[in-house]
Amino acid sequence: MARPIPRPPVSALRRLLRGLLTLLLICSLLIAGLLGWILGTEPGSRSALRLALQHLPPAAPQIALERVQGRLWDDLRLDGLRITLPGHHLTIAQARLRWSPLALRLPRLQIDHLELDGVTYRGHTTAAPAPAAPALDLATLPPVTLPDIALPLPVQLTRLQLTAADLQFDDTPLYAGDLLA
C-alpha cells in the first residue's frame, strides 16, 4: 500500500497573501454590487441623488427635488426640480434625461435626449432696478452664441426639447414658448 505524499507546510506569508486576496475580491464585489444598485435600480438612483443633495457644500446652489423616477444608468426623470442662487431661481416641472454612460470611456458626455417641461426662470440683479424695457421681439434678434466654457470633457447633446418655458430677467421676458433642437 502506497503512502500518501506529505504536503509541504503552507507558510504564514502564503496564508496572509491568500487572505488579503480574498478580502480584496470581496471588497471589489461589494463595490461592484453597490454601483450596480445605484446606477441600475430606481431605489438606488433615488437614494444616491437624495444623499448627494444633502451633502452639497454651503456655497452651492440650493436644490430641491420632489420625485425621482427611472435609473441613473440610462433613463432618468426628475419632477419638481428647483434650483436657487442669489438673484436666480429656476423651476423645472419635469426633466427627463437619456444618456449613454459608456461614452464616458471615449471620454465624452453623450446626452441622447434632454426633455425639460415647465421651465420657469426668474433672474434679478442686486442693483437698483432698471426701468422696465419693452418686450423683445425674438424674430428680429440675431442667433444666440453661447460663451466658451471649459468643461472637463466634451459634451454632445443629440436632442433638446424645451416645453412651456418662461424665462425672465429683471421682469424682462427673454423667452416664452417651446423649443426643439
Side-chain angles (χ1 to χ4, degrees):
M1 185 168 183
R3 293 177 90 186
I5 301 173
R7 291 179 28 182
V10 178
S11 70
L13 182 60
R14 182 176 270 168
R15 277 184 279 159
L16 178 65
L17 184 60
R18 186 177 295 149
L20 287 176
L21 287 176
T22 303
L23 183 63
L24 181 63
L25 177 66
I26 291 171
C27 288
S28 299
L29 291 174
L30 284 174
I31 290 171
L34 180 63
L35 282 175
W37 179 72
I38 289 172
L39 297 174
T41 68
E42 187 170 317
S45 298
R46 190 178 312 125
S47 297
L49 286 172
R50 184 178 51 234
L51 189 63
L53 291 178
Q54 289 174 353
H55 290 88
L56 287 175
Q62 294 178 356
I63 301 174
L65 187 57
E66 290 176 10
R67 188 169 64 176
V68 176
Q69 291 179 314
R71 306 176 305 175
L72 285 173
W73 184 253
D74 53 7
D75 193 4
L76 184 67
R77 182 176 140 184
L78 307 175
D79 293 333
L81 178 62
R82 291 182 306 282
I83 303 171
T84 305
L85 285 164
H88 304 279
H89 183 76
L90 176 68
T91 302
I92 301 173
Q94 186 179 89
R96 186 167 181 195
L97 170 71
R98 273 188 272 150
W99 67 303
S100 301
L102 294 178
L104 292 172
R105 295 176 297 132
L106 298 178
R108 177 182 72 224
L109 176 59
Q110 182 175 332
I111 300 172
D112 300 320
H113 183 89
L114 179 59
E115 182 180 331
L116 305 173
D117 183 36
V119 178
T120 304
Y121 169 75
R122 299 291 182 261
H124 301 282
T125 56
T126 55
L136 299 174
D137 182 13
L138 295 177
T140 61
L141 292 176
V144 175
T145 56
L146 298 175
D148 288 333
I149 300 173
L151 297 175
L153 60 142
V155 177
Q156 178 181 346
L157 178 59
T158 305
R159 184 168 187 233
L160 171 66
Q161 184 176 345
L162 184 66
T163 55
D166 180 19
L167 312 177
Q168 294 184 14
F169 192 81
D170 282 338
D171 298 324
T172 302
L174 298 176
Y175 182 82
D178 299 341
L179 172 71
L180 180 62

